[in-house]
Amino acid sequence: MSTSMPATLRVLTGYRPTGRLHLGHWFGNLQNMLKLQDEYDAFYFVADWHALTSEWQNPASIRRYTEDMVLDWLAAGLDPARCTIYRQSDVPEVIELELYFNMVLPMSWLERTPSYKEQQQQIGDKDLSNVGFFLYPSMMAADIVVLQAGAVPVGEDQAPHLELTREIVRRFNATYGKNCLVEPQALIAKLGARVPGTDGRKMSKSYGNGIFINDTPDEIRRKAMSFMTDPARKLKTDPGNPAICPLHQVHKLIADTDRIESWEQCCQSAECGCVAHKREFAEDLVAYLSEFQSRRAQLDKQPGYAWEVLEAGANRVRPIAKETITTCRQLVGIG
Ligand code: SF4
């Protein structure tokens, strides 16, 4: 994590409510969000309009996943007193700002942006030939800029994803002759390692290889037993290679170093088998998630709580968004 940013810096990050959260989300993003809420003025939004760009044929699930995502965030430790949690569609100024951006934005910029291409690959099972999805990076820029966010957390190799937003801001500011919009910086975060799924590929909803953070203990045990291990190790008597074992990579995220080293030694010397390791991994994961899951069960007993949190968050965001839009309307000549 960069240490050059001031503690009061406003940072923003958002996620599309298109499915249940799995361990890839837990280690890849959520742990970083927990840290940021104590280090910055952190804003987290549920990107339901972004979800609509790919889920427009099946929009009924967006509302349910919005609520689920907020409850998962809260159960994981995000605290509405230390960060702001809101829903994108509660801030209509985002759409207005996107419209102004679309006027200054050459189409060729959208076509070449890496985040657009990456999203297309990640959401490969949907019809993404619509204009709404084509404009996805412009809406992303509006999300960031409407809030005057100074920084956006990105992984070490993801800084180019923010570059289009920065270019749009520069072009807008240059076109209208004012440096009124904040050009966001990349907050280089050490996002969690790529988490392998049960088949060894990156854990992903579309691959069907995820362990969800709300899976029951029995579901976790069943998935653990089918988890891929070192593919070259056919027999218990063959020495294994933990470095290429997907199950071991996930186990390392939750178990202490001594036990991990002990499994490595045991595997390399062919003294222990994969079934025993899978069993231990399953029990460790059940224990690891139990505190989160019991907090989540408590939150489930508070119907409407997620929506209250989102409403309170939107009330904090709207005055900032209104201020940005008032300035932009004047600049584009319709204020
Ligand atoms: S013993 Fe453990 S580390 Fe070795 S291949 Fe099997 S599951 Fe992986």
Side-chain angles (χ1 to χ4, degrees):
M1 177 96 44
S2 166
T3 52
S4 59
M5 306 268 185
T8 53
L9 189 79
R10 189 177 294 156
V11 302
L12 172 74
T13 193
Y15 292 98
R16 292 157 31 91
T18 56
R20 299 164 65 200
L21 299 189
H22 52 59
L23 293 178
H25 301 115
W26 177 271
F27 290 109
N29 309 317
L30 202 38
Q31 298 309 306
N32 191 47
M33 289 163 74
L34 291 172
K35 270 194 288 168
L36 291 178
Q37 72 175 344
D38 291 322
E39 296 171 1
Y40 297 97
D41 186 12
F43 286 72
Y44 301 126
F45 71 100
V46 183
D48 56 347
W49 273 332
H50 281 293
L52 199 56
T53 63
S54 63
E55 309 298 312
W56 53 276
Q57 289 161 308
N58 180 31
S61 59
I62 293 176
R63 197 175 160 81
R64 178 166 49 88
Y65 286 134
T66 294
E67 185 170 12
D68 272 357
M69 184 177 277
V70 172
L71 293 178
D72 283 345
W73 284 356
L74 296 170
L78 286 191
D79 176 359
R82 285 141 69 204
C83 65
T84 301
I85 298 170
Y86 68 100
R87 182 172 65 154
Q88 185 187 27
S89 62
D90 285 332
V91 187
E93 288 83 358
V94 168
I95 295 296
E96 185 173 344
L97 185 58
E98 183 198 339
L99 181 107
Y100 301 149
F101 283 168
N102 290 343
M103 303 306 148
V104 301
L105 177 55
M107 284 173 65
S108 58
W109 287 15
L110 286 177
E111 285 159 348
R112 69 173 159 79
T113 185
S115 58
Y116 175 67
K117 286 184 198 146
E118 189 174 285
Q119 285 289 321
Q120 264 190 323
Q121 282 163 2
Q122 283 180 2
I123 318 170
D125 54 341
K126 305 283 177 187
D127 177 359
L128 301 176
S129 57
N130 52 334
V131 173
F133 187 76
F134 182 68
L135 294 173
Y136 169 90
S138 178
M139 196 196 286
M140 188 179 93
D143 289 320
I144 299 165
V145 176
V146 86
L147 203 60
Q148 299 164 37
V152 176
V154 292
E156 275 157 358
D157 54 351
Q158 295 170 331
H161 293 193
L162 195 58
E163 203 42 44
L164 180 62
T165 297
R166 291 161 53 81
E167 284 180 81
I168 293 172
V169 169
R170 286 198 290 271
R171 192 167 169 103
F172 186 94
N173 286 343
T175 302
Y176 297 106
K178 304 258 185 203
N179 278 331
C180 62
L181 299 184
V182 176
E183 197 178 321
Q185 306 298 312
L187 180 62
I188 303 298
K190 205 160 181 53
L191 300 179
R194 171 186 172 278
V195 179
T198 52
D199 60 359
R201 291 184 291 175
K202 181 184 174 193
M203 194 174 286
S204 160
K205 182 180 63 127
S206 41
Y207 294 155
N209 64 359
I211 297 184
F212 296 100
I213 58 178
N214 282 308
D215 274 345
T216 63
D218 281 349
E219 284 169 329
I220 291 172
R221 290 184 186 108
R222 184 177 53 74
K223 290 180 181 179
M225 294 316 286
S226 68
F227 217 109
M228 189 176 176
T229 58
D230 173 359
R233 191 178 190 212
K234 302 285 180 232
L235 302 168
K236 191 178 164 184
T237 46
D238 296 336
N241 181 359
I244 58 163
C245 171
L247 176 131
H248 192 62
Q249 301 318 307
V250 184
H251 200 191
K252 275 160 87 170
L253 298 168
I254 58 169
D256 60 48
T257 315
D258 287 353
R259 288 186 36 241
I260 287 300
E261 284 174 1
S262 153
W263 274 109
E264 286 172 1
Q265 186 274 323
C266 195
C267 171
Q268 285 159 343
S269 58
E271 288 171 73
C272 36
C274 297
V275 172
H277 195 172
K278 288 176 174 182
R279 288 207 179 104
E280 185 168 311
F281 164 69
E283 294 317 312
D284 284 350
L285 189 54
V286 167
Y288 176 83
L289 289 173
S290 66
E291 199 182 322
F292 159 78
Q293 291 190 348
S294 73
R295 277 200 301 262
R296 181 67 164 79
Q298 288 303 315
L299 289 170
D300 277 337
K301 294 178 191 157
Q302 301 178 55
Y305 181 56
W307 300 105
E308 287 170 28
V309 168
L310 289 172
E311 181 59 28
N315 287 338
R316 280 188 226 162
V317 169
R318 280 195 210 107
I320 306 168
K322 217 171 255 316
E323 185 187 309
T324 309
I325 281 299
T326 301
T327 306
C328 290
R329 279 185 184 168
Q330 287 165 357
L331 289 168
V332 303
I334 62 167

